[in-house]
Amino acid sequence: MRLSDLFTRTLRDVPADAELVSHRLAVRAGLVRPVAAGIYALMPLGWRVVRKIEAILREEMDALGGQEVRLPVVQPAELWQATGRWETFGPALQKFAAESGREYVLGPTHEEVIAALAAREIDSYKQLPQHLYQIQTKYRNEPRARGGLIRLREFTMKDAYSLDADAAGLDRFYPRMVAAYARIFE
């Protein structure tokens, strides 16, 4: 595709609100466009970059025996209340109620969901270890979204979850994960 045919265009001038060099360059290159404070649209070239990064992540996680899951952005309050983080997570936890009155959160992280699913799916230590991962949208109600693309309200995060029978299993898996991240960054 020709640059002149792209949906977005490059910018000559630095955006006034862009503080970090990476933020300035991403906006000027047409990779992202701000929609609101801390919320950005990925433009065609930016989305292409994200898909390439995700492919590298998937390749490394799959090589470790990881299984990809897709967990919900909207999570029931009960999961967060059960862990105590409903009260302790702080103002970044965006809570809301449905018309029915049932309370939910926009997921800033997914540990509560993974723990609940593992409790339902794993009946015996013989099913362990399990290594799950996801690449998913998260939302944190950042009071002062700043830092360009670093501290956002809505963002994509890659999570990995190691479900082991004991601490020794986790200790054996951890160096393999460190090596995978080294290859990803390489």
Side-chain angles (χ1 to χ4, degrees):
M1 176 178 283
R2 295 169 42 128
L3 190 59
S4 61
D5 293 333
L6 280 177
F7 173 68
T8 190
R9 62 194 189 311
T10 59
L11 303 177
R12 180 182 307 254
D13 298 321
V14 175
D17 62 339
E19 299 171 14
L20 300 176
V21 173
S22 59
H23 182 203
R24 284 187 219 134
L25 292 173
V27 173
R28 285 188 62 210
L31 300 177
V32 298
R33 289 292 188 253
V35 175
I39 301 173
Y40 286 81
L42 287 166
M43 303 310 279
L45 292 178
W47 180 235
R48 196 169 166 180
V49 168
V50 167
R51 288 194 326 259
K52 286 184 177 192
I53 292 169
E54 287 179 355
I56 294 167
L57 293 168
R58 286 184 175 97
E59 181 181 333
E60 289 297 334
M61 292 299 104
D62 291 349
L64 288 178
Q67 299 174 66
E68 186 172 9
V69 294
R70 180 76 174 191
L71 303 173
V73 175
V74 176
Q75 303 171 13
E78 304 88 65
L79 296 179
W80 287 79
Q81 292 162 343
T83 63
R85 294 206 310 170
W86 178 259
E87 295 83 19
T88 62
F89 197 87
L93 187 63
Q94 181 66 56
K95 303 172 184 179
F96 67 97
E99 283 188 31
S100 65
R102 187 168 182 194
E103 292 183 294
Y104 296 93
V105 302
L106 290 178
T109 186
H110 285 83
E111 288 86 0
E112 279 75 7
V113 175
I114 279 289
L117 290 172
R120 280 189 233 141
E121 298 295 322
I122 298 174
D123 298 321
S124 166
Y125 72 93
K126 294 178 182 178
Q127 291 173 268
L128 300 173
Q130 293 286 329
H131 307 295
L132 305 172
Y133 74 94
Q134 73 162 346
I135 302 169
Q136 174 62 293
T137 300
K138 313 280 186 174
Y139 182 86
R140 292 187 182 157
N141 189 25
E142 288 287 344
R144 292 176 306 281
R146 62 183 184 278
L149 302 175
I150 301 299
R151 191 166 176 175
L152 300 173
R153 288 190 169 97
E154 180 181 297
F155 55 96
T156 302
M157 181 186 287
K158 181 258 172 204
D159 296 306
Y161 310 95
S162 177
L163 307 172
D164 291 280
D166 55 23
L170 179 61
D171 289 342
R172 283 190 300 275
F173 183 69
Y174 184 76
R176 293 177 57 212
M177 184 62 79
V178 169
Y181 275 105
R183 287 188 301 274
I184 288 165
F185 290 123
E186 201 174 276

